[in-house]
Amino acid sequence: MNVLITGFEKFSTFKVNPSEMIARRLDGKTIGKSDIKGVVLPVIYEDALERLSLLLSEMRWDLVLSLGLNPNIGWIALERYAHNIKESEVPDERGVIASGEEVVSGGETVLISNLPLERIRDRLREEGIPARISYSAGAYLCNSVFYYVLYKILKYGGRGGFIHIPLNTEYVAREVKYYGKCHMPIDTLQKAVEIAIETTLQEGEERSV
Ligand code: PCA
């Protein structure tokens, strides 16, 4: 099976994006019988979707799992809903401020992740990793990527999801201004993403038996 993992480059005041680190760490790895390709997307609306469009036309991915940083959470947030809207007071890294445009013109308002979110959440908790299902990925870049992936791959039965992760401990340790924010070690974040991949692929195998 072919698995695509996307992370994001650094953005805003955060000099490190743990989602980028994980995409790089997983690139070229094999999990179960699946080969992982990890790519890093820019935090720029136009460029991120252009890059994704190319990647998604390369092949029929069995699973596309996108990752992004949410510096305000202390848990793994398994996103359920992607919304067809771009809106944020925060500009992207090219200075573009989105104000309510659609991600895909004429697309449905909401698309729903088809990952086994409850199972992933339960497995993460069993492993001692705080996790919960989230019902909004916001309306910034992460939501755009999440929506675009689902829009493209649900059509052919691919599986798609998005996970928001907190800051990584190693970065926070170096940035005193972020003391007080929640964080997890990068190895724990990576393990959480691997568990999400494994759980999804296992479910796929059970389904096809
Ligand atoms: N998080 C942002 C965009 C890039 C990232 O890692 C978001 O939550 O939309």
Side-chain angles (χ1 to χ4, degrees):
M1 295 219 234
N2 299 307
V3 177
L4 176 65
I5 301 295
T6 74
F8 276 108
E9 287 173 2
K10 63 187 170 64
F11 69 106
S12 180
T13 56
F14 303 101
K15 294 187 204 124
V16 168
N17 192 329
S19 71
E20 165 168 2
M21 296 170 76
I22 296 172
R24 289 192 193 288
R25 281 171 170 224
L26 294 183
D27 184 40
K29 265 192 112 177
T30 305
I31 295 187
K33 289 181 213 128
S34 300
D35 298 323
I36 315 277
K37 175 163 175 152
V39 301
V40 181
L41 302 172
V43 185
I44 297 174
Y45 291 106
E46 208 185 322
D47 296 9
L49 293 200
E50 221 174 271
R51 183 82 204 282
L52 261 182
S53 168
L54 285 174
L55 283 161
L56 297 177
S57 57
E58 248 174 43
M59 69 167 88
R60 290 194 163 204
W61 300 94
D62 297 297
L63 167 63
V64 181
L65 178 58
S66 299
L67 312 171
L69 166 67
N70 179 349
N72 300 315
I73 55 174
W75 56 89
I76 302 296
L78 307 165
E79 300 294 346
R80 169 102 54 207
Y81 298 118
H83 298 92
N84 193 14
I85 188 168
K86 300 189 272 188
E87 190 165 78
S88 175
E89 290 170 5
V90 183
D92 71 6
E93 293 296 294
R94 187 178 280 150
V96 173
I97 296 181
S99 49
E101 299 88 345
E102 289 179 312
V103 180
V104 175
S105 169
E108 288 142 283
T109 307
V110 178
L111 293 175
I112 306 176
S113 169
N114 57 359
L115 300 198
L117 300 184
E118 290 90 352
R119 256 168 103 162
I120 296 170
R121 178 198 58 201
D122 294 347
R123 277 210 53 204
L124 291 173
R125 289 181 179 176
E126 279 160 22
E127 291 290 330
I129 303 174
R132 55 162 55 138
I133 294 169
S134 163
Y135 303 96
S136 172
Y140 191 47
L141 257 293
C142 289
N143 174 70
S144 286
V145 161
F146 183 25
Y147 185 91
Y148 190 76
V149 166
L150 291 184
Y151 180 79
K152 290 282 177 185
I153 72 170
L154 293 182
K155 287 180 186 153
Y156 66 80
R159 310 200 89 185
F162 195 98
I163 298 182
H164 263 119
I165 57 176
L167 289 165
N168 65 297
T169 305
E170 299 79 359
Y171 173 60
V172 173
R174 300 195 298 273
E175 292 278 357
V176 175
K177 66 174 186 255
Y178 293 135
Y179 282 24
K181 288 242 181 238
C182 296
H183 50 82
M184 285 186 202
I186 192 71
D187 288 347
T188 305
L189 294 172
Q190 180 180 342
K191 184 173 169 192
V193 173
E194 289 178 357
I195 288 173
I197 298 169
E198 273 163 25
T199 308
T200 303
L201 296 177
Q202 272 162 14
E203 204 208 43
E205 278 166 23
E206 283 162 23
R207 267 207 213 155
S208 56
V209 171

